[in-house]
Amino acid sequence: MKRYEAILFDIDDTLLDFKQSEHVALEQLLASYNVRMTDEVKSRYVDINTGLWRAFERGEVDREEVLVGRHTKLFDSLGLTVDGPYVEQQYRDYLHAGVHMIDGALEIVQTLSADYPLYIVTNGVTETQFKRLESSGLLPYFQDVFVSDATGSQKPMKPFFDYVFDRIPNVTPEKGLIIGDSVTADIAGGRMYGLDTCWFNPKEVAATMESTYEIRHLHELKSLL
């Protein structure tokens, strides 16, 4: 097994169950406007949100357009006009309050941190990601945390990884491993930059891109590393 000098973890749906946290926060947000979250409403939000984040990864929209637009578009589709920035802050407050861990996340991070320098590489909002890492107890095990809105670019773009490796001392991409659930952000970005990649694929979906490793559960990292 190759000896890595830096291990880069994604957060959402790799260490923290963002889908569950998102579900609870969205349900609370809608309830504050007397809207019941049905399967149809949830599906509509997911489609809007996913589409905007994909556009962000491609550099077609900026972060603010994603964060505010997802809410204004959703409520507009429900026949309601809202103050986008205010609703985004409401949602953010609900999201900060709920942290749901992926099974085995804290244990594997504790174990690996004894032997490897660990780093966070994530798209998202700095304040939210730090609060979630703190609340989960994961933060102390990482040497540094790199969030897209602080780096000025996002995974899978090269400038994001340039920013990261400019701040990881004496480590080249060939000595690094990125672990994440997103083929488009983590695996594609890692491959482009010369990193080894580990695809976290708990639902066993069909691969659309080759990765160095593929795991179903985080505890599999023990045998890999």
Side-chain angles (χ1 to χ4, degrees):
M1 169 59 64
K2 185 175 179 179
R3 177 68 188 182
Y4 295 104
E5 296 178 3
I7 297 180
L8 284 56
F9 274 95
D10 175 49
I11 296 179
D12 293 325
D13 298 320
T14 299
L15 294 175
L16 296 180
D17 189 342
F18 184 73
K19 289 183 176 65
Q20 178 63 21
S21 298
E22 179 185 55
H23 178 90
V24 172
L26 181 62
E27 187 173 46
Q28 293 172 318
L29 176 66
L30 290 169
S32 72
Y33 289 88
N34 298 313
V35 176
R36 187 170 65 89
M37 189 167 75
T38 62
D39 289 342
E40 180 186 354
V41 172
K42 174 68 179 295
S43 178
R44 193 177 303 180
Y45 174 79
V46 169
D47 288 344
I48 291 169
N49 189 48
T50 300
L52 285 169
W53 278 114
R54 291 288 181 265
F56 178 64
E57 290 174 0
R58 295 190 298 267
E60 297 170 359
V61 298
D62 62 26
R63 183 178 67 89
E64 195 65 18
E65 289 177 272
V66 177
L67 301 181
V68 173
R70 58 188 178 179
H71 299 303
T72 55
K73 288 177 183 294
L74 175 64
F75 279 97
D76 183 63
S77 76
L78 297 171
L80 297 171
T81 300
V82 296
D83 180 337
Y86 177 74
V87 173
E88 166 59 20
Q89 186 56 57
Q90 284 183 287
Y91 173 75
R92 189 75 36 203
D93 291 341
Y94 291 131
L95 197 60
H96 290 167
V99 174
H100 304 85
M101 196 98 68
I102 294 291
D103 185 41
L106 183 57
E107 178 189 359
I108 195 63
V109 165
Q110 288 173 328
T111 299
L112 294 182
S113 67
D115 296 311
Y116 298 93
L118 306 184
Y119 299 88
I120 289 290
V121 287
T122 181
N123 291 339
V125 180
T126 300
E127 179 188 14
T128 297
Q129 300 298 47
F130 267 92
K131 285 187 175 181
R132 295 171 69 229
L133 287 170
E134 288 173 344
S135 297
S136 66
L138 290 167
L139 186 59
Y141 299 100
F142 290 90
Q143 304 288 316
D144 209 340
V145 176
F146 301 103
V147 186
S148 61
D149 76 337
T151 66
S153 56
Q154 64 278 344
K155 296 180 299 181
M157 293 182 173
K158 182 178 181 295
F160 177 89
F161 290 98
D162 285 339
Y163 184 99
V164 170
F165 278 89
D166 283 347
R167 289 158 179 79
I168 297 179
N170 305 315
V171 177
T172 61
E174 293 74 20
K175 295 291 187 178
L177 172 70
I178 183 170
I179 302 166
D181 70 297
S182 173
V183 172
T184 57
D186 302 308
I187 306 308
R191 280 168 52 99
M192 173 275 301
Y193 207 71
L195 291 157
D196 280 1
T197 58
C198 180
W199 184 30
F200 178 51
N201 182 22
K203 294 184 178 179
E204 301 186 43
V205 300
T208 57
M209 182 178 296
E210 184 178 354
S211 56
T212 313
Y213 313 105
E214 182 178 336
I215 59 173
R216 304 286 187 266
H217 193 285
L218 291 175
H219 69 63
E220 295 175 56
L221 289 170
K222 291 180 182 179
S223 59
L224 285 179
L225 299 170

